[in-house]
Amino acid sequence: VQGNITQKFDIVQVFGLYSGEEFHETFDCPIKIIAVHPQFLRSHCKQFVTGGKKLVLFERSWMSRWKSSVLHEGEGNIRNVKWRGNLIAWANNMGVKILDVISKQRITNVPRDDISLRPDMYPCSLCWKDNVTLIIGWGSSVKICSVKERHASEIRDLPNRYVEIVSQFDMEFYISGLAPLCDQLVVLSYVKETSDKMEREYCARPRLDIIQPLPETCEEISSDALTVRGFQENECRDYHLEHSEGESLFYIVSPRDVVVAKERDQDDHIDWLLEKKKYEVISGTLDIGLAYISHLVEKGEHDMAARKCQKVLGKNAALWEYEVYKFKEIGQLKAISPYLPRGDPVLKPLIYEMILHEFLESDYEGFATLIREWPGDLYNNSVIVQAVRDHLKKDPQNTTLLRTLAELYTYDKSYSQALQIYLTLRHKDVFQLIHKHNLFSAIQDKIVLLMDFDSEKAVDMLLDNEDKISIKRVVEELENRPELQHVLFKRDHHKGQRFHEKQISLYAEYDRPNLLPFLRDSTHCPLEKGATEGQMGGSQRPLLALPTAGQAVVCPPARAPAVGGLPVTPGLPPPSPAFITGLLNNIGTHVDPILLIHRIKEGMEIPNLRDSLVKILQDYNLQILLREGCKKILVADSLSLLKKMHHTQMKGVLVDEENICESCLSPVLPPDVAKPFSVVVFHCRHMFHKECLPVPSMNSSGQFCNICSAKNRGPGSAILEMKK
């Protein structure tokens, strides 16, 4: 049915998914169930029924208007409706009715057996096996009804059809759903069991049974208990069973889960035989499987044949190689490539190389996908590298081939060559490659390329790894690119203290507004150079100028040498007594006042000098008190944080099957944990196989996390080792 039904209290909407038709109706009583004509897509079958207190048929007339007619009412709520062909079956509080839609005649009434069960708690289950066979499940009773044509001589005032119950039997548990399966029946049961200890009933897991109906009983074919969430609180009415005829799929619906069941096939049978180690049966099955694969190949269903190889060939490497050559003969190596075994078993390297060459000749993207997905030890890496290089001679700018060649170089641990390609391609993984394989020695002559590619990431990496590549070397490499030098220093100008004088010209050239803040914060460059650079570039307005008398000057910390030199800067007028008084009153503790006093010209009369000196001494005493208080707080906080860090680092680190080695990206724990293994866990929570870590250098006292690169500075500097 290509349509959708929305049910909200007393509102019913029917609208087509692929058409503009729509029906909307508001009812004065709740609607319990809706059923659409099986051929609703056809123009003459625009019909559906709703069930509540009444069974109402809606059908579209020739003027595209919907009209309704009551088919049945007066026997309580209608809780289930099933429509098949021209027959509608529904269940109310009294029993099950069947109606012929064409003649509008009710054919039969099948009363419910156990009237002690509440129909709302133990609802009736209905399903049509075919156009004339209705299966009814109510309580624990199952009835199979056959709709038959009445002989013309018997019709008189009776309906044209009648119903005969051909089979009736009871189940062990209450029925929540029914569905046909060929000549068998699928039954979803609500199970209650009695506890031996507490002597009371409790809700058990629902059961899905396949039974063979007989005239007065049934034969159980299979039975499965289903684990659904919350089954302990569910009732019989909480479970539903629906099926899709075309796909033989069965949907078990509970309040919190939907379980999909399907018939077992030959593949499932082989898996079961393998699990039970019934190898003598498998030998016969294998011949059938090989014949089936050949049959699929002859029909041209190459993908299906390749998929079946996984089930039929299993771990037989010789059969796998034989089948691969058969696929090569018919030119279908690509079809079998996704299903080749990659671990157990491992085929000969020639098999994998043959498939890689097939993709390399016709599908670069497919070739790249296989290189990413297949482990590098399945094939001879040097052979594939040479083949890729030969193709690059014909198409040297092909980014797919270049990227794949870089991956092959990485597998082969030729990291410098891989790095060069990644930089040429400006590939986003270049920084990860450097960190992962500790390639800082290889990038010392490629710093400009890295900065041009992504200056932010490059600067972060360079500043975080000064122990591996010095700031001096970085500055030398950027000598001809002063704008990149400024990007490096601007991130953290304290990192390059020895280059502060050089940074003055960089700020003046590329970031003039921030030159003065830099000079205020710096303790490693002369202020005179800042004043000189401030007048460069055609600007006649000096960046630094003396204040007039009465203006206060507040100097940054540790700038005392520059304050003494400021009044005698060439080209600026000498300071007046009033200016020096203002300077003394506002100098506070930022600058050593002795330096300023020594600069006062002998014999100069300074107004209010005594008061200014007293204020300086008071400010100094206050500063001493503040420093002592801050020192006590700092020591207490440092001790508290040290204890906290020590306590945190002494905690255990969880290592389970979900953790991966940050180097090889495979699970950090082996499949068989009973075998010896060695795992290194850093305090930064990065984990490595011990054999995947680089050998520590002679100058290093221990191992450090390649990713964090935080030697002696962060959580990556400490290490745990787990062995078994």
Side-chain angles (χ1 to χ4, degrees):
V1 177
Q2 291 186 334
N4 190 28
I5 299 176
T6 303
Q7 182 173 332
K8 291 184 178 179
F9 303 108
D10 57 348
I11 300 176
V12 173
Q13 292 178 321
V14 179
F15 54 91
L17 294 177
Y18 309 108
S19 64
E21 61 184 338
E22 181 177 350
F23 169 82
H24 181 281
E25 183 70 23
T26 302
F27 293 82
D28 57 358
C29 58
I31 301 300
K32 301 293 185 182
I33 191 72
I34 301 174
V36 181
H37 193 293
Q39 302 297 324
F40 190 83
L41 181 63
R42 299 181 180 179
S43 59
H44 64 280
C45 297
K46 302 297 183 183
Q47 297 175 311
F48 67 92
V49 292
T50 63
K53 294 293 185 181
K54 307 173 184 178
L55 183 69
V56 183
L57 172 66
F58 291 85
E59 48 191 340
R60 195 172 68 179
S61 64
W62 64 277
M63 295 183 67
S64 297
R65 294 183 178 178
W66 290 88
K67 67 176 183 177
S68 63
S69 56
V70 178
L71 301 180
H72 182 76
E73 63 179 323
E75 294 184 353
N77 282 325
I78 296 170
R79 303 182 185 280
N80 201 349
V81 178
K82 294 294 180 182
W83 193 329
R84 180 70 176 254
N86 295 323
L87 298 176
I88 301 177
W90 73 92
N92 56 28
N93 293 349
M94 306 303 294
V96 177
K97 280 76 174 171
I98 301 178
L99 179 95
D100 189 328
V101 179
I102 302 299
S103 63
K104 297 294 192 298
Q105 290 181 319
R106 196 171 73 185
I107 297 175
T108 189
N109 173 41
V110 182
R112 65 189 179 108
D113 296 330
D114 191 349
I115 60 174
S116 65
L117 297 175
R118 287 174 53 183
D120 59 328
M121 299 297 293
Y122 297 87
C124 176
S125 298
L126 301 173
C127 72
W128 288 97
K129 179 181 179 181
D130 50 44
N131 286 347
V132 295
T133 305
L134 176 67
I135 304 172
I136 304 172
W138 207 333
S140 60
S141 172
V142 177
K143 295 178 181 178
I144 301 178
C145 308
S146 178
V147 180
K148 298 184 177 181
E149 295 287 339
R150 197 182 299 273
H151 194 273
S153 62
E154 301 176 351
I155 292 179
R156 300 175 188 173
D157 296 330
L158 299 175
N160 296 336
R161 299 181 180 184
Y162 69 96
V163 171
E164 178 182 342
I165 298 177
V166 297
S167 177
Q168 180 174 351
F169 51 88
D170 289 331
M171 299 290 293
E172 183 179 359
F173 304 106
Y174 296 116
I175 299 168
S176 292
L178 298 168
L181 178 63
C182 299
D183 61 338
Q184 297 170 342
L185 193 60
V186 179
V187 182
L188 177 64
S189 300
Y190 170 68
V191 181
K192 276 195 171 184
E193 296 181 352
T194 303
S195 173
D196 295 334
K197 296 180 179 179
M198 305 182 67
E199 295 184 356
R200 65 180 181 85
E201 286 189 329
Y202 65 94
C203 299
R205 294 184 297 167
R207 278 180 37 170
L208 189 68
D209 299 329
I210 299 178
I211 61 173
Q212 179 66 58
L214 301 174
E216 296 182 357
T217 184
C218 66
E219 178 184 350
E220 183 181 286
I221 306 300
S222 70
S223 179
D224 292 286
L226 305 178
T227 301
V228 294
R229 290 177 294 177
F231 69 87
Q232 300 90 339
E233 293 84 25
N234 291 344
E235 301 288 345
C236 182
R237 63 181 176 180
D238 294 327
Y239 297 108
H240 303 277
L241 176 64
E242 299 292 339
H243 76 289
S244 172
E245 295 184 34
E247 300 175 327
S248 294
L249 294 177
F250 299 86
Y251 301 90
I252 299 96
V253 183
S254 73
R256 299 176 64 183
D257 289 307
V258 176
V259 180
V260 181
K262 64 178 181 178
E263 293 184 79
R264 293 188 176 95
D265 56 14
Q266 185 69 21
D267 294 342
D268 299 315
H269 181 56
I270 293 175
D271 288 340
W272 183 84
L273 292 173
L274 289 170
E275 181 182 347
K276 301 299 181 182
K277 298 183 179 181
K278 296 181 178 292
Y279 301 114
E280 69 282 357
V281 182
I282 294 177
S283 60
T285 307
L286 181 60
D287 294 336
I288 298 173
L290 291 173
Y292 181 47
I293 292 173
S294 299
H295 171 69
L296 291 173
V297 170
E298 291 173 2
K299 288 176 60 179
E301 298 182 12
H302 304 111
D303 185 71
M304 177 63 73
R307 191 181 300 117
K308 291 299 178 183
C309 286
Q310 285 186 306
K311 296 290 186 181
V312 175
L313 306 181
K315 298 182 179 181
N316 192 323
L319 282 178
W320 268 108
E321 293 170 2
Y322 175 74
E323 289 297 326
V324 170
Y325 279 109
K326 285 177 60 177
F327 274 79
K328 182 179 185 301
E329 291 175 1
I330 60 175
Q332 291 296 328
L333 281 177
K334 290 184 179 180
I336 201 172
S337 63
Y339 310 105
L340 280 184
R342 306 174 188 178
D344 185 15
V346 175
L347 310 183
K348 295 177 181 177
L350 180 62
I351 298 295
Y352 301 101
E353 293 166 13
M354 185 168 60
I355 293 177
L356 288 173
H357 278 289
E358 178 76 15
F359 275 91
L360 188 57
E361 293 296 329
S362 58
D363 183 1
Y364 287 163
E365 291 295 337
F367 173 76
T369 300
L370 289 183
I371 293 297
R372 285 194 300 270
E373 293 179 353
W374 284 2
D377 56 356
L378 292 180
Y379 48 85
N380 189 327
N381 198 68
S382 59
V383 172
I384 303 302
V385 167
Q386 186 58 48
V388 174
R389 293 177 65 177
D390 291 342
H391 276 264
L392 280 171
K393 293 177 182 177
K394 307 172 188 176
D395 188 4
Q397 302 302 321
N398 190 290
T399 57
T400 301
L401 287 181
L402 286 170
R403 185 175 65 251
T404 307
L405 182 60
E407 293 175 3
L408 290 168
Y409 279 140
T410 302
Y411 294 150
D412 206 27
K413 298 185 178 181
S414 300
Y415 300 125
S416 296
Q417 294 169 290
L419 180 62
Q420 184 64 44
I421 295 176
Y422 278 136
L423 284 172
T424 302
L425 295 176
R426 304 174 73 88
H427 196 276
K428 61 182 179 61
D429 291 340
V430 64
F431 295 100
Q432 180 183 354
L433 180 72
I434 295 170
H435 278 293
K436 184 177 179 180
H437 301 291
N438 198 17
L439 303 180
F440 293 96
S441 60
I443 66 169
Q444 296 195 19
D445 58 345
K446 300 177 177 64
I447 293 174
V448 174
L449 290 175
L450 288 169
M451 294 284 286
D452 283 336
F453 172 40
D454 191 329
S455 59
E456 289 191 7
K457 288 186 178 180
V459 168
D460 287 340
M461 179 186 69
L462 293 170
L463 294 181
D464 289 341
N465 294 275
E466 290 182 72
D467 54 323
K468 298 170 183 174
I469 179 169
S470 66
I471 295 295
K472 180 181 178 182
R473 178 58 187 271
V474 175
V475 173
E476 290 173 354
E477 288 294 320
L478 300 176
E479 185 65 32
N480 297 324
R481 296 291 298 276
E483 74 280 7
L484 295 181
Q485 287 182 335
H486 179 63
V487 172
L488 174 70
F489 291 134
K490 187 176 180 181
R491 181 63 56 85
D492 186 353
H493 60 254
H494 294 293
K495 292 284 188 179
Q497 292 179 349
R498 71 179 71 177
F499 302 103
H500 274 205
E501 184 173 348
K502 182 180 185 64
Q503 292 182 53
I504 295 176
S505 59
L506 295 176
Y507 270 98
E509 178 70 22
Y510 302 106
D511 194 6
R512 189 179 186 83
N514 287 317
L515 174 56
L516 187 55
F518 165 71
L519 293 172
R520 287 175 177 161
D521 194 38
S522 173
T523 62
H524 294 80
C525 61
L527 199 57
E528 292 86 347
K529 182 171 178 62
T532 303
E533 292 292 342
Q535 297 180 6
M536 293 179 65
S539 173
Q540 299 303 315
R541 179 179 59 84
L543 183 66
L544 300 174
L546 279 176
T548 60
Q551 290 180 314
V553 177
V554 179
C555 302
R559 291 296 298 127
V563 172
L566 180 60
V568 295
T569 301
L572 296 176
S576 64
F579 172 80
I580 294 178
T581 299
L583 195 60
L584 289 171
N585 287 336
N586 294 280
I587 200 170
T589 58
H590 300 297
V591 179
D592 186 355
I594 300 299
L595 296 176
L596 180 58
I597 294 171
H598 285 167
R599 289 282 184 165
I600 299 174
K601 187 176 181 181
E602 188 174 352
M604 180 182 288
E605 184 176 343
I606 308 298
N608 301 317
L609 178 60
R610 185 180 67 84
D611 295 339
S612 298
L613 295 177
V614 170
K615 186 177 184 301
I616 289 174
L617 293 174
Q618 290 175 343
D619 290 344
Y620 183 77
N621 289 334
L622 179 60
Q623 185 70 16
I624 294 298
L625 292 175
L626 289 174
R627 289 186 179 182
E628 290 179 353
C630 291
K631 181 179 178 182
K632 292 179 180 179
I633 295 173
L634 180 62
V635 171
D637 286 350
S638 299
L639 182 59
S640 174
L641 291 174
L642 180 62
K643 291 180 179 178
K644 183 178 180 181
M645 184 187 73
H646 182 264
H647 180 265
T648 301
Q649 293 188 343
M650 290 298 291
K651 290 181 179 179
V653 179
L654 175 64
V655 180
D656 57 23
E657 61 277 2
E658 295 184 0
N659 296 113
I660 63 170
C661 172
E662 298 293 344
S663 179
C664 66
L665 301 181
S666 60
V668 75
L669 296 180
D672 185 3
V673 294
K675 296 181 179 179
F677 66 93
S678 182
V679 175
V680 177
V681 184
F682 291 93
H683 284 303
C684 55
R685 297 302 189 266
H686 290 128
M687 304 179 187
F688 300 85
H689 296 123
K690 188 171 183 180
E691 59 271 17
C692 293
L693 280 173
V695 179
S697 64
M698 298 297 294
N699 299 327
S700 176
S701 59
Q703 289 178 312
F704 298 92
C705 177
N706 290 343
I707 297 176
C708 293
S709 301
K711 182 176 181 182
N712 297 327
R713 295 197 310 276
S717 61
I719 186 172
L720 302 172
E721 184 170 343
M722 181 173 67
K723 294 183 178 180
K724 184 172 182 180

